Amino acid sequence: MDLLGHLLLGLQVAISPNNLLFCFIGALLGTLVGVLPGIGPAATVALLLPITFTMAPETSLIMLAGIYYGAQYGGSTTAILINLPGEASSAVTAIDGYQMARQGRAGAALGIAAIGSFIAGSVATLVIAWFAEPMTTVALKFGPAEYFSLILLGLVASIALAHGSVLKALAMIVFGMLLGLVGTDVNSGQLRYTFGVGELADGLGIVAIAVGVFGVAEIFRNLEDEQEREIGVKTVSGLMPSAADLRASAAPIARGTVIGSVLGVLPGGGALLASFASYAVEKKLAKDPSRFGKGAIEGVAGPESANNAGAQTSFIPMLTLGLPANAVMALMVGAMTIQGIAPGPSVITDKPELFWGLIVSMWLGNLMLVLLNLPLIGIWVRLLSVPYYILFPGIIAFSAIGVYSVASNVFDLYTLAAFGLVGYLFVKLGFELTPLLLGFVLGPMMETYLRRAMVLSRGDPAYLITQPLSAALLAATAGLLCLLLLPSVTRKRSEVFIEED
């Protein structure tokens, strides 16, 4: 079946009433969590995982995907209106977007953010459709040694893209991998790292850990920094940018789409990196760079296109290789596993309706975001005036209900509370949390592939380097790790981390 035939199959799946409804719900919820600072798509996807257990696999993934790319759009609303990004990748948008709002041009900023996000999301979805099948064909030729080396490279690359100390990011990866080893050894049937606690025989739950470190910990941090949100724009008008604005934004949207599409596949935070890279490129190419930071519409159009394209293309490694590029993709892998689907290259052949239905739903979801959000700007503005201390009790209650409903196990609530405190302490100490979740999800997969490789080689570790592709991946991993440990690189990362704080 050719690409057009695959897309027609996906369209049939995506436009079914049930899938269309949950695509709409996902996009709406995603925008909501993007608008409200302090919740985030990772925590929301984790919270809603239990609800997806009773859904068809394609329906659950369509809704969860809508939450993710919807949050990328919603984050721009708070960035522009109150200079407070709802999503980290929208931080760059705040620089010029808020200045435009102060100049009475909030409508134009929001309008160009919507247009740029839609164009970038649509193009990035086409990129997924175009490259997914060739990548899957290549991935089917991977053996255990190649998969082990690829996962190792992905983990090291996630360290490269993390902020701050290399050693702290590495420590979080290792900690996450150790957490993933808790439970029953599938080979020997022996319990490990359970310390006599029977509830740990099946391992720690990904939902409890994700909601704890991304949801509860973020609530604690926001309560600590709670401040009155000053909304300088009570009403927003003129959402359609002028012809001059559209001309000025056309090239930045195109460049941002390309940058985001390429960087989105990188592990650790491609959408965030893409938005910063796009802003730097636009400022470098501008005839008058001094306009940036004072309300340049290019500073909104480029980064918003880049972060939305990056959010879309982050699905490529998850769908084709089963390897998550960020925390939300790790949760998507968890959602597929819960549904009894093994993430990886076999999905496109065994579950084509899920694969292509999800891809086509992204087009529909991006269109919904434009049609949905611009008319709802007034509601988002009013929501922003709600104090956080009123919102957080409901978020905590919803978190507890969602975690408990997974297995009706009180122990999961203790896990939630413990990892909420652990996540908060890590944030205070300057540790990033995304490497922890990536290590937790990828660690057991890496162990499984290593054991399979050792079985094939009869216990000879040299097998990993005698396979050409595996050796090349290990060499790239070693080179990247050496580069990260260079004193100049370590010092520069620390300086960037301090400036961002």
Side-chain angles (χ1 to χ4, degrees):
M1 190 182 293
D2 58 8
L3 179 60
L4 181 59
H6 289 312
L7 293 176
L8 288 174
L9 171 64
L11 183 62
Q12 290 176 358
V13 175
I15 63 173
S16 69
N18 199 44
N19 290 339
L20 209 55
L21 172 64
F22 281 99
C23 181
F24 172 83
I25 291 173
L28 182 62
L29 284 174
T31 305
L32 178 62
V33 301
V35 166
L36 293 175
I39 303 176
T44 307
V45 169
L47 284 170
L48 293 176
L49 273 182
I51 299 175
T52 66
F53 294 171
T54 56
M55 298 178 183
E58 55 270 19
T59 304
S60 65
L61 291 180
I62 283 172
M63 185 183 75
L64 295 177
I67 292 171
Y68 181 45
Y69 55 74
Q72 305 301 317
Y73 175 86
S76 65
T77 301
T78 49
I80 291 168
L81 296 181
I82 61 173
N83 199 27
L84 184 62
E87 260 297 288
S89 55
S90 298
V92 181
T93 306
I95 299 173
D96 283 282
Y98 182 62
Q99 293 302 319
M100 288 182 68
R102 292 184 64 185
Q103 296 165 14
R105 302 189 65 218
L110 290 167
I112 207 66
I115 293 169
S117 295
F118 173 71
I119 293 173
S122 299
V123 172
T125 304
L126 186 61
V127 171
I128 299 174
W130 189 268
F131 286 102
E133 196 164 15
M135 284 189 67
T136 300
T137 303
V138 172
L140 286 170
K141 299 177 181 178
F142 276 36
E146 288 79 10
Y147 264 113
F148 167 80
S149 302
L150 180 64
I151 293 173
L152 186 61
L153 176 60
L155 290 174
V156 173
S158 70
I159 296 171
L161 293 176
H163 299 285
S165 167
V166 172
L167 291 178
K168 285 183 178 180
L170 180 60
M172 293 300 280
I173 287 279
V174 173
F175 182 51
M177 293 173 69
L178 290 175
L179 292 175
L181 296 178
V182 174
T184 304
D185 185 343
V186 293
N187 283 2
S188 66
Q190 297 294 312
L191 297 178
R192 56 186 184 183
Y193 304 115
T194 60
F195 303 101
V197 180
E199 288 86 350
L200 290 176
D202 292 329
L204 292 163
I206 186 173
V207 176
I209 291 178
V211 176
V213 297
F214 288 104
V216 176
E218 188 67 15
I219 288 169
F220 290 159
R221 192 187 68 78
N222 276 275
L223 286 174
E224 181 185 46
D225 298 334
E226 173 68 1
Q227 56 187 351
E228 194 70 28
R229 296 175 192 156
E230 182 181 344
I231 304 177
V233 183
K234 301 298 182 183
T235 58
V236 178
S237 58
L239 290 171
M240 187 61 199
S242 66
D245 288 334
L246 291 173
R247 282 194 299 272
S249 303
I253 288 174
R255 287 190 288 263
T257 300
V258 173
I259 292 170
S261 297
V262 173
L263 297 183
V265 299
L266 298 178
L272 176 62
L273 180 63
S275 61
F276 278 89
S278 174
Y279 190 84
V281 167
E282 294 310 318
K283 191 172 182 179
K284 185 75 174 177
L285 295 177
K287 294 181 179 178
D288 182 12
S290 64
R291 293 172 49 249
F292 283 75
K294 300 176 183 177
I297 198 167
E298 300 93 328
V300 175
E304 275 302 300
S305 303
N307 76 44
N308 219 53
Q312 306 282 93
T313 55
S314 65
F315 282 85
I316 291 178
M318 191 274 288
L319 289 172
T320 58
L321 302 172
L323 302 180
N326 52 50
V328 176
M329 292 301 108
L331 291 168
M332 297 282 279
V333 168
M336 294 176 73
T337 304
I338 289 168
Q339 294 277 1
I341 299 170
S346 61
V347 173
I348 193 171
T349 54
D350 297 345
K351 297 282 185 181
E353 68 284 350
L354 182 149
F355 187 92
W356 295 105
L358 176 60
I359 288 176
V360 174
S361 76
M362 294 179 189
W363 269 316
L364 301 177
N366 275 282
L367 181 60
M368 288 178 184
L369 285 173
V370 175
L371 300 178
L372 240 175
N373 288 293
L374 292 182
L376 295 179
I377 287 295
I379 295 176
W380 303 140
V381 170
R382 284 193 289 274
L383 268 177
L384 289 171
S385 63
V386 178
Y388 195 75
Y389 65 82
I390 294 177
L391 293 174
F392 92 86
I395 299 171
I396 288 285
F398 189 37
S399 301
I401 292 169
V403 168
Y404 180 76
S405 66
V406 174
S408 300
N409 190 347
V410 176
F411 184 79
D412 289 339
L413 296 179
Y414 294 125
T415 305
L416 170 69
F419 278 95
L421 292 173
V422 168
Y424 174 70
L425 289 174
F426 280 147
V427 169
K428 296 298 290 182
L429 293 172
F431 288 85
E432 267 206 90
L433 298 174
T434 296
L436 185 153
L437 193 61
L438 292 178
F440 179 75
V441 172
L442 293 176
M445 293 171 61
M446 189 164 72
E447 180 196 17
T448 299
Y449 287 121
L450 177 60
R451 286 189 169 190
R452 289 178 183 174
M454 291 301 96
V455 169
L456 288 174
S457 65
R458 298 184 179 181
D460 183 9
Y463 178 72
L464 297 173
I465 57 175
T466 56
Q467 303 300 304
L469 182 54
S470 175
L473 292 170
L474 288 175
T477 303
L480 182 57
L481 195 56
C482 291
L483 181 65
L484 287 173
L485 294 176
L486 288 175
S488 58
V489 175
T490 304
R491 185 169 57 252
K492 183 65 176 176
R493 285 165 61 97
S494 299
E495 290 171 358
V496 171
F497 182 69
I498 292 170
E499 288 174 6
E500 288 181 355
D501 283 354

